[in-house]
Amino acid sequence: MAAERIFLIGMMGSGKSHWLKQMAKWNKSVGYDLDALIEMNEEKTIAEIFNEDGEVYFRKLEHQILEKLINNQESFILSLGGGTPCYSNNHEFLKSSNVISIYLKASVETLYDRLLYSNSERPLIANKNPEEMKEFIAKSLFDRSYYYNQAKYKVSIDERTKDETAEDILEILT
């Protein structure tokens, strides 16, 4: 039997990192955050990679590390970066038979509320004022929706408590 992989996808601020930790506990599985793997590999923060090497270089690294994980024989849970499914045909991995892909779906308002006070640590929105940030979120969500909707499962997080979201995710996993 092939190894099972669970991919969490969605926009920054959708809770991928939080749910990765929760799911790894529930499943007693290894959990990876793709951005953290890139930082470890490069010995730089994502912001430093964007600033020093550019987004194209970052997306290339992202694809290489994702491909390496996919070719590994282990089961795991993986939180993808918000843009990961949109580049280098990475969205095709979401449809693999041994991948359970879950899109943590959020509205522009929910994402904006969650990101408003943490934007300085996120390179794509770090220098944006609130109005620019909201516009960026709306445009990104529109541009990425095709790729996000390639996920096998969708979990709406709008107006949901963590307990309700946990129930939705557990229902998928059982």
Side-chain angles (χ1 to χ4, degrees):
M1 183 174 139
E4 183 175 87
R5 291 82 187 268
I6 301 169
F7 286 10
L8 294 173
I9 66 168
M11 282 287 292
M12 66 178 110
S14 63
K16 297 180 305 284
S17 296
H18 169 79
W19 291 111
L20 169 69
K21 292 173 190 159
Q22 284 299 125
M23 293 169 67
K25 285 181 195 172
W26 297 336
N27 283 12
K28 295 180 177 63
S29 293
V30 62
Y32 297 118
D33 180 299
L34 188 57
D35 284 349
L37 291 174
I38 291 168
E39 289 179 337
M40 192 171 60
N41 189 62
E42 291 294 294
E43 298 179 353
K44 295 179 184 180
T45 65
I46 299 300
E48 289 170 336
I49 295 168
F50 266 73
N51 289 335
E52 296 170 19
D53 306 303
E55 185 176 1
V56 172
Y57 178 78
F58 171 78
R59 297 300 177 190
K60 185 177 171 185
L61 282 175
E62 189 176 53
H63 178 74
Q64 290 169 344
I65 292 174
L66 179 58
E67 197 167 45
K68 188 182 291 185
L69 277 172
I70 289 290
N71 291 328
N72 189 326
Q73 297 303 308
E74 72 177 325
S75 294
F76 57 82
I77 303 168
L78 178 66
S79 170
L80 300 181
T84 306
C86 310
Y87 296 92
S88 304
N89 288 321
N90 291 334
H91 67 286
E92 294 297 330
F93 292 129
L94 305 177
K95 300 184 264 184
S96 300
S97 61
N98 63 339
V99 170
I100 296 171
S101 50
I102 302 171
Y103 169 25
L104 297 174
K105 187 174 183 175
S107 68
V108 172
E109 285 300 323
T110 297
L111 295 168
Y112 176 77
D113 290 345
R114 288 180 173 199
L115 293 169
L116 188 57
Y117 300 105
S118 68
N119 65 335
S120 63
E121 58 201 58
R122 299 175 186 269
L124 291 175
I125 59 171
N127 299 315
K128 297 190 182 328
N129 67 41
E131 186 178 306
E132 292 169 330
M133 191 174 85
K134 193 169 196 175
E135 186 176 314
F136 173 84
I137 292 167
K139 182 180 182 328
S140 295
L141 196 54
F142 178 80
D143 290 344
R144 295 174 176 184
S145 65
Y146 168 80
Y147 301 99
Y148 290 165
N149 282 304
Q150 301 298 308
K152 292 177 184 165
Y153 300 96
K154 289 143 191 82
V155 173
S156 177
I157 62 167
D158 291 333
E159 299 178 23
R160 307 278 292 165
T161 65
K162 285 185 177 177
D163 287 343
E164 290 169 328
T165 302
E167 286 175 22
D168 293 343
I169 292 170
L170 285 168
E171 189 176 311
I172 291 167
L173 300 178
T174 54

